[in-house]
Amino acid sequence: MAEAVRQELSALAAIFCGPHEWEMLSCSETDGAVFRIHTTAEGLVGEDVPLELVFHLPAGYPLCLPGVSVSSEHLTRAQCATVKEKVLEEARKLLSEPMIHELVLWIQENLRHVLSPPETSSISEKCPGPESPAVDDGLWMTLLHLDHMRARTRYVKTVEKWASELRLTGRLMFAGRIILLLLQGDRSSIKEYLILQKTSKVDVDSSGKKCKEKMISVLSETKVQTEHKRFLAFEVKEYSTLEELQKEFETAGLGELFSECVLGLVKR
């Protein structure tokens, strides 16, 4: 992680030092940092609107956009999605420099303006979490490796739910002890999925208590190329042999990805 990013995280922790304002959720050299900020902003009629903002700073940040999740019990899903889109627009103007504090200030100063236009969506359900983002630099694909699933049924249902909400397609693949998750969709949606995966209690530990996923690794992240298959839905599939799994990859135009990323898992 770049020293400038470390300094930014330290500064943010110092700025948002009130009770429950700041929480570091995960931090690593390979996957970057994920943290939560609780703040308030002025709403349409001058009321304080509590906001929960989750940011993911990937390894390439600030040369690439951060992942952003906006949620509030006082806003609808459509409003949360609109705020997020506007935040990402601001983030694009700040690329190559630390931007998180600027983005939080922008939200605090502009929330009521963002909420002012009449909503065209009929969705009035309260927003408990991330919503599908706007299209961001075309169709992307990521391949994830999950070390294990103790509470498999619950885990799979959660992954299917997130994929549906974020409009992601692809495959959750089981081949013996190998568990792979291949996702296609907007890059910002994939980033938001990773935030959910790393910050939610999706599995159980050896004692049966709910726990967060700590043993997930990103094997590949790339833009979908012309030779790659576009998955039309998200499916859960079982493979009885490694050859069956390899054929799935090759049929999707991903034979090279299989050779480079999956075969290494078999040899561990």
Side-chain angles (χ1 to χ4, degrees):
M1 186 178 297
E3 181 60 29
V5 177
R6 294 184 186 279
Q7 291 179 2
E8 181 179 13
L9 292 173
S10 178
L12 289 168
I15 293 168
F16 300 101
C17 58
H20 311 297
E21 279 190 329
W22 164 269
E23 182 183 1
M24 177 63 74
L25 301 172
S26 68
C27 187
S28 73
E29 294 294 332
T30 54
D31 298 329
V34 181
F35 53 90
R36 180 185 290 120
I37 292 175
H38 284 103
T39 188
T40 60
E42 184 180 344
L44 282 172
V45 293
E47 79 283 17
D48 283 341
V49 176
L51 297 169
E52 179 180 298
L53 310 173
V54 177
F55 294 95
H56 172 215
L57 308 188
Y61 173 86
L63 297 178
C64 63
L65 291 175
V68 181
S69 170
V70 179
S71 57
S72 173
E73 293 182 353
H74 290 222
L75 302 178
T76 65
R77 286 184 180 274
Q79 288 173 323
C80 288
T82 299
V83 174
K84 176 185 169 179
E85 289 175 18
K86 296 299 182 182
V87 170
L88 287 173
E89 286 179 13
E90 289 302 310
R92 290 186 182 94
K93 301 174 186 177
L94 301 171
L95 279 174
S96 80
E97 60 185 77
M99 66 179 78
I100 301 303
H101 188 220
E102 289 294 323
L103 294 178
V104 176
L105 289 177
W106 186 90
I107 294 172
Q108 291 172 333
E109 295 169 1
N110 293 278
L111 180 65
R112 62 190 180 90
H113 302 300
V114 174
L115 300 179
S116 291
E119 291 185 63
T120 56
S121 172
S122 61
I123 299 176
S124 60
E125 182 182 350
K126 295 299 181 182
C127 177
E131 178 60 25
S132 302
V135 175
D136 181 22
D137 7 78
L139 192 65
W140 278 72
M141 174 176 64
T142 191
L143 180 65
L144 308 175
H145 174 236
L146 305 177
D147 185 74
H148 61 270
M149 287 185 183
R150 286 194 174 96
R152 175 167 166 170
T153 300
R154 176 176 177 271
Y155 203 132
V156 169
K157 286 182 178 179
T158 301
V159 171
E160 289 178 316
K161 175 177 177 289
W162 289 341
S164 175
E165 290 177 347
L166 295 170
R167 299 178 188 176
L168 296 171
T169 62
R171 299 284 186 271
L172 176 56
M173 300 173 279
F174 295 90
R177 297 184 63 182
I178 296 176
I179 308 173
L180 299 171
L181 179 57
L182 182 67
L183 297 172
Q184 284 185 353
D186 297 339
R187 193 178 191 186
S188 56
S189 293
I190 291 175
K191 287 183 178 179
E192 193 158 339
Y193 177 91
L194 289 172
I195 292 175
L196 286 169
Q197 181 81 58
K198 294 173 183 177
T199 59
S200 304
K201 292 183 177 180
V202 292
D203 206 1
V204 296
D205 60 20
S206 57
S207 63
K209 294 181 180 179
K210 292 181 180 180
C211 65
K212 297 177 183 177
E213 177 58 76
K214 297 180 180 179
M215 301 184 71
I216 185 172
S217 55
V218 180
L219 301 180
S220 174
E221 183 180 8
T222 183
K223 212 165 187 178
V224 173
Q225 305 300 315
T226 53
E227 68 270 19
H228 297 156
K229 175 182 177 180
R230 268 67 169 172
F231 293 102
L232 300 179
F234 183 83
E235 298 179 27
V236 180
K237 301 189 72 172
E238 295 263 5
Y239 306 88
S240 57
T241 66
L242 187 64
E243 288 71 24
E244 285 184 13
L245 180 62
Q246 182 174 1
K247 185 176 181 181
E248 176 81 63
F249 275 78
E250 291 175 346
T251 302
L254 301 171
E256 186 175 344
L257 181 64
F258 181 87
S259 300
E260 292 179 355
C261 299
V262 181
L263 284 180
L265 300 175
V266 180
K267 297 173 183 176
R268 287 183 183 178

